[in-house]
Amino acid sequence: MNIVVCIKQVPDTTEIKLDPVKGTLIRDGVPSIMNPDDKGALEQALRLKDAHNAHVTVITMGPPQAEAILREAYAMGADRAILVSDRKFGGADTLATSYTLSQAMRKIDYDLIIAGRQAIDGDTAQVGPQIAEQLDLPQITYVEEATFDGKETLTVRKSTEEGHEILEVDLPCMLTLLATANKPRYMRIRGIMEAIGKPIECWGAGDIEVDPERIGLAGSPTNVKKSFTKGAKAMGALHDEVTPEEAADIIFNKLKEKFII
């Protein structure tokens, strides 16, 4: 079984700040980490490797410094690492990102593609499903657990608002996992030392077949105009010992005052 895991380097949102004037993220001095959902996805791939001797490839799209999370993936147990990096890919939204990654994956032998549900810097949960659509693969999102029968079928537990569903899907397919699906394994000292010398393949726009109009800013129909922190909610008014009729009148008058109804 050949597994490809999509991972992303993101700013640690526990330390992120916003520029109050520009409304943009201040990344200077903010540590970068592997996206938590993606780390859960990598752990799932490594468990399948342990159980079924799978080969695990990790791939990320980003600037050269994203190499750090690929080294981390190596230290955890990944077998191959690919960095998709080129200035032409800069400014990509989810559609352009998923197109670029899916084109890169056409160069890789895979039976299963796994990604995190969403990245903590964007929270769109779009890239994984879009990759599946680009590659015409069946997909299951919000996965909590996945087991393989050793032949061609995965049994998957999917989280839903009502609880969970148990589904079966044949390979090849795409899964997106929750960060809580698996507790990522610790990197061993030996793994960290070996990861330093392992090769990282870097693929630019000239290394994969891409339409220039579908990558980077040119291929991005959406963009973030401004980011801002959510303001604190004001204390509400308390009304004690009122009848249902009086409560209804208070609510009606407040709505009339605010929305002119």
Side-chain angles (χ1 to χ4, degrees):
M1 175 192 275
N2 293 312
I3 306 173
V4 176
V5 184
C6 302
I7 61 177
K8 183 180 181 182
Q9 186 182 56
V10 295
D12 188 343
T13 52
T14 61
E15 300 188 32
I16 200 70
K17 295 180 181 179
L18 292 174
D19 186 313
V21 177
K22 297 179 181 178
T24 55
L25 297 177
I26 300 175
R27 295 179 181 268
D28 293 342
V30 178
S32 294
I33 60 173
M34 187 189 302
N35 183 55
D37 281 16
D38 297 343
K39 186 172 281 191
L42 175 57
E43 176 60 30
Q44 180 63 70
L46 294 174
R47 292 186 182 188
L48 290 171
K49 174 183 175 179
D50 294 341
H52 302 282
N53 197 30
H55 182 277
V56 177
T57 298
V58 287
I59 185 169
T60 190
M61 176 174 147
Q65 56 263 36
E67 179 180 313
I69 62 167
L70 295 175
R71 298 280 178 205
E72 183 178 351
Y74 263 143
M76 290 176 65
D79 301 297
R80 183 185 182 190
I82 300 170
L83 172 62
V84 179
S85 184
D86 196 303
R87 288 186 180 274
K88 295 178 181 179
F89 301 146
D93 69 356
T94 62
L95 185 63
T97 298
S98 64
Y99 168 72
T100 304
L101 285 171
S102 63
Q103 291 301 105
M105 289 179 199
R106 295 183 190 278
K107 295 182 58 177
I108 306 170
D109 290 329
Y110 63 81
D111 300 297
L112 173 64
I113 301 174
I114 310 179
R117 171 196 51 170
Q118 63 187 35
I120 59 175
D121 60 348
D123 288 341
T124 65
Q126 294 174 352
V127 173
Q130 287 175 342
I131 289 174
E133 289 297 315
Q134 300 275 6
L135 296 174
D136 195 26
L137 293 173
Q139 60 177 291
I140 301 177
T141 57
Y142 290 77
V143 173
E144 296 178 325
E145 183 181 357
T147 57
F148 182 50
D149 67 357
K151 298 178 181 178
E152 61 177 14
T153 304
L154 288 168
T155 301
V156 176
R157 187 172 71 184
K158 172 186 171 72
S159 175
T160 68
E161 291 182 354
E162 295 78 22
H164 64 266
E165 297 176 348
I166 303 297
L167 305 171
E168 289 188 347
V169 59
D170 289 341
L171 303 179
C173 65
M174 173 98 196
L175 306 179
T176 68
L177 270 80
L178 301 172
T180 54
N182 299 298
K183 183 178 180 180
R185 64 193 63 192
Y186 288 106
M187 296 179 288
R188 296 181 178 180
I189 297 298
R190 180 176 178 179
I192 295 172
M193 297 302 295
E194 291 178 346
I196 295 173
K198 288 187 175 180
I200 292 178
E201 301 170 48
C202 187
W203 295 354
D207 300 304
I208 54 180
E209 294 185 11
V210 291
D211 180 348
E213 296 301 315
R214 298 182 64 184
I215 62 175
L217 283 173
S220 301
T222 62
N223 61 78
V224 178
K225 185 176 181 180
K226 185 179 181 180
S227 299
F228 56 91
T229 56
K230 185 177 180 180
K233 203 169 185 179
M235 177 70 177
L238 297 176
H239 300 273
D240 296 325
E241 299 181 1
V242 296
T243 67
E245 291 76 12
E246 290 172 333
D249 287 338
I250 292 170
I251 294 171
F252 178 79
N253 290 330
K254 285 294 183 182
L255 290 172
K256 185 176 180 180
E257 177 186 318
K258 189 170 183 178
F259 299 106
I260 316 177
I261 59 174

